[in-house]
Amino acid sequence: MKYIDEFRNPSIVNDILTSINKLVIKGRSYKIMEVCGTHTMAIAKYGLRDILPDNIDLVSGPGCPVCVISQGEIDAIFSLLEKEDVILFTYGDLMKTPGSNNESLLTYKAKGVDIRIILSPIDMLKEIENTNKELIFVSIGFETTSPANAILIKEMYKRKIKNFSVFPYNKIMPGIIDVILRDKDLNIDGFICPGHVAAVTGTNLFEPIVKKNRAAVVAGFEIIDILLAIRAIVLQVNNGTFRVENLYKRVVSDNGNSLARQHIDDVFEITSSIWRGVGSVERSGLALKDDFQQYNVLNKFDLIIESIYDKKGCKCGEILMGKKSPYECSLFSKECKPESPIGPCMVSTEGTCAAYYKYMVKSEHY
Amino acid sequence: MSIIDLTCGSGGRNTHQLIVDVILKNLNYPELFNMGDAAYIGNFAFTTDSFVVTPEFFPNCDIGKLAVCGTSNDLTVAGARPEFMSLSLIIPEGYKKENLEKIIKSVRTSADEVNVQVVCGDTKVVDNMSLKSIIINTAGIGKIIKKLNDYNAIEVGDKIIITSDIARHGMAILLARGELQFNGSIESDCCHLYNLFKCLDYNCLNFARDATRGGIAAVLNEISEKCRKGFLLYEEDIVVKNEVKYLCEMLGFDPLTVANEGVSVIIVKRDKVEDVLKLVKKCNYGDNAFIAGEVIERQVVMLKTIYGGLRNVEMPSGLLLPRIC
Amino acid sequence: MCLGIPAKIIKISEGFATVDIGGIEREVSTILLEDEPLIDEYVLVHVGFAISKLSEVDAEETLKFLKEFSDEIY
């Protein structure tokens, strides 16, 4: 298919690898963070770690929207399902996420709760006429997904739908990028920046990275995109000149999509939010604006989000920030596995631990 | 896990765990422990299967054909010639007679294709609150030609043949359900493997399984655990139809974990593999067959990507859930 | 963080387009697109919305760069 297959051409992949091998300076290490979980998955799926030079160290960042939802936020969903007869609409990503009670949406479904997996928020609209039950949408995702979620909420508002509400769990990037950059032990040389977030926000979002003298390259998700980004980061690091480079121009315009941003602004306002394993982060979440607060499920059903500490031994916090690899967590692949996840990074298939578990070849690390 | 959820029936790790924890613990019969596609009793192979699928009719298949093929395939890959089967129907009240007849006619057509006779059966009707659609349960029996479920026959260096392109059945059902609002259809790969196997020389076959729920990934991991050896697959050679591949990508699925209904994994000696492949390709349903990889010493299922990297092919952990991320 | 796939527009209606992904079709919303969608153009689809048009010129530029780059190596 156009725009896919030409970016998977094995001989070009080889050429870029050859070039990267020539460019890397022996004795120097390059620590590169892919912020986005979809990049983590792609890197694992292509077996990239295996074919890159040894001194390129890829670490995974906090870009999995399911992984970073706090335990308290998950528990709030479950406490609603315990007490009210509702229909819950969710993206499939969230189905296996465990609550403090070790239940998941899958087990609630098994107990008879009406839970529907949707691919698009607007798929929910056609259910309005079929029921008087409360229709609840779990609004998750980063800047890429938020415009779509906002459109659903606006549409419900326009149609004056009363039996609709939302778990407002969207996250945004600026705050968490700050947290990573503020870290006094920041040892990351460059960032592979999430292409699909940039398609909405524009590439400015990543300026703070280069101000800290780190490389920032916006990349697509095919293997050639990722390798070109790694090569560009190596070049920036070698030259010591840092700028935001956009290597995903076929999708990302430097200014992003202002119409999409407008939809976010119409419905949401920027707020602080709790990230699992990280804690409260300023300018990192989206709250419903006053006009849309009537749809806030937390108010409507008197739910509270408790602050719950992460499970003992779980290193997800440090893994999300790229400070530790899953192999350094004593629970990884032992107590914590995809079918019985303890921490959030194992829950979503794009979580760092799940990606490692699924795609990494068993080695001395196990 | 205190209750049974959908992941326990999807052919992945949780299904396996449920079988070990609850069923094998209480039913510790030696033949059952093999967990092969069929049990061997004297000169016969014996199997059972249940079929629950919505919708009951989908491209190139329906639940009737699925029931016959599923049963006869289990016998075939165990190395037997399918001969007789039973057919039990559990029908919700209100079910259209016309649809039932369509299903039964399809059972007949499919049974005739491999000369299997339906020789006993049962019919139950239950209230429509407890069942939404028809369920078929079968048992099948067939005479053994050569036992193909013997894990000891698998040796390091042996080659793996997969008899068709993969992941079509799972994606066909997903599309036919219409829940995800796609338009278009993919044909199920459901077919009689016996019509493929019957033209092969059984002396050249060391082991066979059909890769149904959980796909190639599940079946290879199961075999690996039992034979205490591993598998190395070559991504480059794995055949997935384009529409299946891109749909999987859009939903975040790995085709290796998607169900098939007419795809067998056959393990053969290295020096025989080209001959066997040539034959398979000439047989019914074998035109897209390919050599998928080989048996390795280390007990792990791995895949060498097109780009030369290695990655794990894990036992799928359960349901395929469409992702946005 | 966000799965997106290029899809070809084959039909357009008010606020929506039917796209083709390797032979399978789905209706997606086009209201997030800043420019009018056109038949045969490709869009990037995420959660049922076209969030961006694929730019043929830019894709070709990348591929041209790759070509030059490969020539340089050999």
Side-chain angles (χ1 to χ4, degrees), chain B residues 180-285:
Chain B
L180 300 177
Q181 327 284 326
F182 287 102
N183 263 320
S185 81
I186 289 174
E187 284 201 347
S188 165
D189 48 42
C190 178
C191 69
H192 275 298
L193 288 171
Y194 185 69
N195 277 345
L196 189 158
F197 273 63
K198 71 180 182 195
C199 36
L200 303 179
D201 175 2
Y202 275 61
N203 290 321
C204 297
L205 313 181
N206 291 6
F207 190 91
R209 285 289 293 271
D210 64 343
T212 54
R213 289 178 310 182
I216 300 292
V219 80
L220 288 183
N221 273 286
E222 268 171 45
I223 303 172
S224 164
E225 190 174 305
K226 290 279 180 191
C227 74
R228 311 212 136 268
K229 296 178 183 75
F231 298 102
L232 176 64
L233 303 175
Y234 316 121
E235 187 179 31
E236 189 165 20
D237 299 327
I238 292 174
V239 183
V240 189
K241 292 232 151 120
N242 266 344
E243 61 269 33
V244 174
K245 181 171 96 174
Y246 293 123
L247 191 58
C248 279
E249 282 189 19
M250 179 158 186
L251 298 169
F253 299 165
D254 180 352
L256 288 170
T257 64
V258 177
N260 314 285
E261 274 298 338
V263 179
S264 174
V265 169
I266 304 177
I267 298 176
V268 298
K269 285 269 149 295
R270 180 183 286 266
D271 57 343
K272 295 277 184 358
V273 68
E274 292 298 339
D275 295 344
V276 177
L277 181 70
K278 221 180 275 169
L279 258 171
V280 170
K281 278 176 154 307
K282 270 194 239 158
C283 304
N284 290 314
Y285 314 120

Side-chain angles (χ1 to χ4, degrees), chain A residues 1 4-5 8 10 13 38 41 44-47 50-51 65 91-93 95-96 106-107 109-111 117 119 123 126 145 223 338-339 349-350 357-363, chain B residues 3-7 13-14 179-182 235 245-246 249-251 254 257 298-300 302-303 305-314 317-319 321-325:
Chain A
M1 221 167 88
I4 296 183
D5 298 320
R8 294 181 181 174
V13 166
T38 310
M41 284 297 282
K45 185 177 137 197
Y46 294 126
D50 234 26
I51 52 180
Y91 300 127
D93 310 51
M95 289 302 286
K96 286 195 276 193
L106 267 176
T107 56
K109 185 169 181 295
K111 289 194 275 190
I117 296 172
L119 266 194
D123 294 346
K126 63 180 193 318
T145 317
I223 184 166
E339 65 275 18
T349 40
E350 64 158 346
Y357 189 89
K358 184 167 165 49
Y359 289 126
M360 298 298 146
V361 173
K362 289 192 179 85
S363 68
Chain B
I3 60 166
I4 290 161
D5 65 35
L6 283 171
T7 63
R13 209 175 278 276
N14 287 350
E179 286 161 4
L180 300 177
Q181 327 284 326
F182 287 102
E235 187 179 31
K245 181 171 96 174
Y246 293 123
E249 282 189 19
M250 179 158 186
L251 298 169
D254 180 352
T257 64
R298 202 156 125 221
Q299 193 187 327
V300 59
M302 295 190 292
L303 175 119
T305 72
I306 299 169
Y307 311 103
L310 279 177
R311 70 163 166 93
N312 253 2
V313 178
E314 276 294 327
S317 69
L319 285 185
L321 299 165
R323 300 190 284 125
I324 63 158
C325 290

